[in-house]
């Protein structure tokens, strides 16, 4: 098969983005679950840590005041003002909030499926009554160079919204913050938390992950990024344990989820536009938002940079882990779909 033809390396020809049905079928094969990610900015943009979020005009019961990330504040304020909204309306409202406050950030939406931009925004899985599970990571890097002020506030605010307005179970939650109370957001603890979030995931489940902290970019170590760089999360102990590359986030968060499971991710950090590379994307620029609102752009567009080769490589890696004795429940579901097609 393809393994032999490529000298032992898995090959997955890139589907034609101009053939929507073929592209959608291949996307479903590459990523089994329904995954969507919000990020505050394009890869080359820098996220904003807002020292005084009172300018955003959030309601008093939203969460603690003080500093915070522009992306988190824009999402929560937009959803507080207009709780029932479409994806387009949410992105329009976020863009409006950010512009009004003087931020140039363009909100990004990525997904594993071609969502209709006029469909209703919802974090809970509309197709099931499964469990809800949420992971929140906020890092202020207290006492380190590049210390931030608002990431703990971001987590408190987002957690309050997800539990209060989206009905997530407050007992099935994990919080990592460098505040002396919660578990420290070290590299090892974050990777372990990803495992906790995806462990035992089933069709109908609703998962949520929010990260507020530094994002970075490192030289791409395997040639799979168009810009030659891997986007990264920056854990608390990055100086000794290193940064967490986008490939590792994809392998541990996305590739392991089964079909019919829904994961929503909010990344409030720099360089986060493609930190979770997914088959479809939508950039919330003024022109795109106008096109979406008018119906000229009804669906999210294929992501020309999505690496189907990488998706298969990850699946093969997970399959090898399974052969090495790792649990099928944890790693098998996403891997098998791609391997059958090799």
């Amino acid at each position: 098969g393809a393994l032999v033809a490529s000298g032992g390396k898995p090959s997955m020809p890139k589907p034609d983005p101009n053939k929507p049905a073929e592209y959608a079928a291949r996307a479903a094969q590459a990523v089994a679950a329904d995954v969507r990610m919000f990020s505050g900015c394009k890869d080359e943009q820098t996220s904003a840590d807002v020292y005084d979020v009172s300018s955003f005009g959030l309601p008093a019961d939203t969460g603690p005041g003080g500093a915070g990330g522009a992306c988190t504040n824009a999402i929560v304020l937009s959803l507080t003002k207009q709780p029932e909204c479409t994806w387009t309306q949410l992105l329009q409202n976020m863009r409006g909030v950010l512009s009004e406050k003087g931020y140039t950030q363009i909100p990004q939406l990525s997904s594993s499926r071609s969502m209709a931009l006029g469909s209703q925004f919802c974090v809970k899985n509309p197709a099931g009554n499964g469990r809800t599970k949420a992971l929140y990571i906020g890092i202020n890097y207290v006492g380190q160079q590049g210390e931030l002020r608002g990431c703990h506030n971001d987590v408190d605010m987002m957690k309050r919204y997800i539990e209060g307005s989206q009905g997530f179970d407050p007992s099935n939650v994990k919080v990592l913050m460098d505040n002396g109370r919660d578990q420290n957001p070290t590299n090892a603890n974050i990777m372990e938390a990803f495992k906790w979030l995806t462990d035992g995931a089933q069709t109908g489940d609703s998962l949520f992950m929010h990260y507020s902290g530094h994002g970075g970019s490192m030289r791409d170590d395997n040639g799979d990024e168009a810009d030659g760089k891997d986007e990264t999360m920056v854990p608390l102990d990055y100086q000794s344990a290193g940064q967490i590359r986008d490939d590792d986030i994809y392998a541990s968060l996305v590739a392991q989820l089964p079909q019919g499971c829904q994961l929503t991710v909010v990344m409030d950090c720099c360089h986060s536009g493609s930190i979770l590379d997914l088959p479809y994307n939508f950039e919330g620029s003024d022109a795109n938002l106008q096109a979406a609102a008018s119906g000229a752009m009804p669906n999210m567009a294929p992501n020309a940079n999505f690496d189907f080769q990488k998706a298969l490589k990850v699946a093969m890696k997970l399959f090898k882990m399974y052969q090495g004795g790792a649990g099928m429940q944890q790693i098998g579901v996403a891997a098998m779909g791609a391997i059958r097609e090799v």
Side-chain angles (χ1 to χ4, degrees):
L3 276 175
V4 178
S6 60
K9 292 182 180 175
S11 64
M12 184 186 249
K14 218 169 187 176
D16 185 347
N18 297 313
K19 295 179 179 171
E22 178 199 325
Y23 191 93
R26 200 61 74 75
Q29 188 186 327
V31 185
D34 183 359
V35 184
R36 57 280 299 272
M37 180 191 78
F38 272 106
S39 64
C41 49
K42 293 193 286 190
D43 286 350
E44 65 271 18
Q45 286 187 309
T46 300
S47 184
D49 187 52
V50 188
Y51 280 3
D52 180 11
V53 301
S54 61
S55 65
F56 277 79
L58 286 153
D61 63 353
T62 307
C71 178
T72 301
N73 280 273
I75 288 178
V76 175
L77 178 59
S78 299
L79 289 167
T80 304
K81 283 184 169 176
Q82 190 177 0
E84 300 289 319
C85 61
T86 65
W87 292 94
T88 304
Q89 287 168 335
L90 174 55
L91 289 163
Q92 277 177 325
N93 292 342
M94 283 177 67
R95 181 90 172 99
V97 169
L98 291 165
S99 302
E100 194 183 310
K101 306 304 171 192
Y103 298 107
T104 59
Q105 290 179 6
I106 296 174
Q108 309 277 305
L109 179 61
S110 310
S111 70
S112 60
R113 302 288 178 266
S114 177
M115 297 194 305
L117 291 162
S119 61
Q120 200 74 4
F121 166 80
C122 187
V123 174
K124 275 190 103 168
N125 192 336
N129 300 312
R131 301 167 312 152
T132 64
K133 209 173 185 184
L135 168 63
Y136 304 91
I137 303 169
I139 316 179
N140 276 345
Y141 310 89
V142 178
Q144 297 190 51
Q145 192 177 1
E147 181 172 343
L148 299 174
R149 300 194 198 181
C151 301
H152 299 167
N153 289 346
D154 285 352
V155 163
D156 290 338
M157 185 190 305
M158 188 61 80
K159 187 172 181 291
R160 191 175 293 205
Y161 168 75
I162 291 296
E163 290 172 6
S165 299
Q166 291 289 324
F168 269 55
D169 179 0
S171 68
N172 205 10
V173 65
K174 188 180 275 286
V175 177
L176 273 60
M177 288 199 281
D178 54 339
N179 58 4
R181 292 189 307 277
D182 295 295
Q183 194 178 15
N184 256 343
T186 60
N187 190 313
N189 285 347
I190 289 173
M191 294 306 291
E192 193 59 37
F194 287 167
K195 192 173 162 187
W196 170 85
L197 185 64
T198 59
D199 198 29
Q202 296 175 352
T203 298
D205 285 354
S206 306
L207 310 181
F208 181 79
M209 200 276 274
H210 173 230
Y211 172 71
S212 181
H214 278 307
S217 61
M218 297 170 67
R219 187 182 294 276
D220 175 20
D221 64 351
N222 57 17
D224 63 359
E225 293 285 348
D227 59 3
K229 292 178 178 175
D230 280 338
E231 276 63 52
T232 63
M233 286 173 70
V234 181
L236 182 63
D237 59 346
Y238 71 95
Q239 288 171 323
S240 57
Q243 299 178 43
I244 301 174
R245 291 179 186 267
D246 48 13
D247 284 5
D248 297 326
I249 299 168
Y250 178 88
S252 49
L253 261 189
V254 175
Q256 306 194 22
L257 295 175
Q259 190 174 353
C261 176
Q262 182 172 298
L263 167 68
T264 305
V265 177
V266 175
M267 299 294 284
D268 199 351
C269 59
C270 311
H271 305 290
S272 57
S274 66
I275 199 164
L276 260 188
D277 259 337
L278 294 167
Y280 294 91
N281 60 9
F282 179 80
E283 185 180 299
S285 64
D286 291 339
N288 284 351
L289 287 168
Q290 282 172 357
S294 71
M297 192 187 289
N299 298 309
M300 291 181 65
N303 174 9
N305 294 324
F306 180 71
D307 194 336
F308 284 87
Q309 187 82 11
K310 177 170 79 173
L312 182 59
K313 184 190 73 180
V314 168
M316 292 294 286
K317 179 179 167 186
L318 296 182
F319 185 59
K320 282 176 184 165
M321 286 167 60
Y322 164 65
Q323 287 182 315
M328 181 67 186
Q329 173 87 27
Q330 201 176 15
I331 60 175
V333 184
M336 294 307 289
I339 286 161
R340 274 196 292 269
E341 296 296 325
V342 175

